[in-house]
Amino acid sequence: MTPTIHDQPLPYIDRLPERDAGAVDTVVIHCTELPDLATAREYGERPLHDNGTGNCGHYYIDRDGGIYRYVPTTRVANHVRGHNPHSIGIELVNLGRYPHWWDSRHQIMTEPYTDAQIAALIALLRQLRLEHPNLRSIAGHEDLDTARLPASDDASKEVSRKLDPGPLFPWPDVARESGLTRSL
């Protein structure tokens, strides 16, 4: 089944580098660590880089399973340090550690992903495999960005910069159903 995708391009997509579909070999799963899709959109629209672009995924999947494309996969989105040129970023709307991302007392992610989100994610991954001939692996943001930083509440403690998609993400089911291999 081909998933329904709502195109909502970010205002700066023309400033993101172009790439061939064959350049993509990995999908990186993120969670927004924000309260809702509207807030995630606001964050994605913020220009943070010299070229006027911001940090964003290619796709966002809301709690109800709605899929939104902010950046075409033929463009390089800024979603994970060091891996953007060869990967697609998929963001799942989820609170994560919001709003205490780096507080050492709030490092447990407790919001489960919805069944609708996971079903939409699997359908999207299957479609992406058809569109990108070299797509073989899947990783979590936490697998690729392992940097640590001083905790906001106590600089003598360190916390992970990224923990998403976190311990509640169903890796075995997603890997099996998508046909992708998890890379760590």
Side-chain angles (χ1 to χ4, degrees), residues 148-163:
R148 297 183 63 77
L149 50 88
S152 59
D153 63 304
D154 183 347
S156 69
K157 296 179 181 177
E158 284 191 342
V159 296
S160 293
R161 208 175 88 73
K162 298 297 177 184
L163 286 178

Side-chain angles (χ1 to χ4, degrees), residues 19 24 26-30 56-60 68 71 73 75 77-80 84 87-92 124 128:
R19 66 177 174 198
V24 174
T26 303
V27 169
V28 181
I29 305 299
H30 303 261
C56 63
H58 291 86
Y59 294 92
Y60 287 70
Y68 300 85
V71 176
T73 60
R75 299 258 179 197
N78 300 312
H79 64 97
V80 61
N84 293 324
S87 66
I88 294 170
I90 300 176
E91 298 266 0
L92 302 172
L124 177 59
L128 291 172

Side-chain angles (χ1 to χ4, degrees), residues 40-146:
R41 177 68 186 207
E42 289 173 24
Y43 270 71
E45 288 183 355
R46 290 181 186 172
L48 300 173
H49 306 287
D50 291 340
N51 67 354
T53 65
N55 294 336
C56 63
H58 291 86
Y59 294 92
Y60 287 70
I61 302 178
D62 208 349
R63 291 176 179 95
D64 66 0
I67 302 172
Y68 300 85
R69 181 172 28 221
Y70 289 0
V71 176
T73 60
T74 54
R75 299 258 179 197
V76 177
N78 300 312
H79 64 97
V80 61
R81 294 176 178 187
H83 299 274
N84 293 324
H86 67 92
S87 66
I88 294 170
I90 300 176
E91 298 266 0
L92 302 172
V93 175
N94 185 286
L95 287 173
R97 301 172 288 176
Y98 176 84
H100 308 287
W101 300 285
W102 298 295
D103 186 313
S104 67
R105 299 164 296 181
H106 297 280
Q107 294 300 298
I108 305 295
M109 298 170 76
T110 59
E111 181 183 0
Y113 295 96
T114 68
D115 291 342
Q117 277 180 310
I118 300 306
L121 173 62
I122 290 167
L124 177 59
L125 292 171
R126 288 176 177 162
Q127 182 64 35
L128 291 172
R129 286 187 61 213
L130 297 174
E131 297 170 6
H132 297 277
N134 296 318
L135 181 57
R136 302 279 184 271
S137 63
I138 188 169
H141 197 181
E142 63 195 334
D143 300 326
L144 303 177
D145 186 343
T146 59

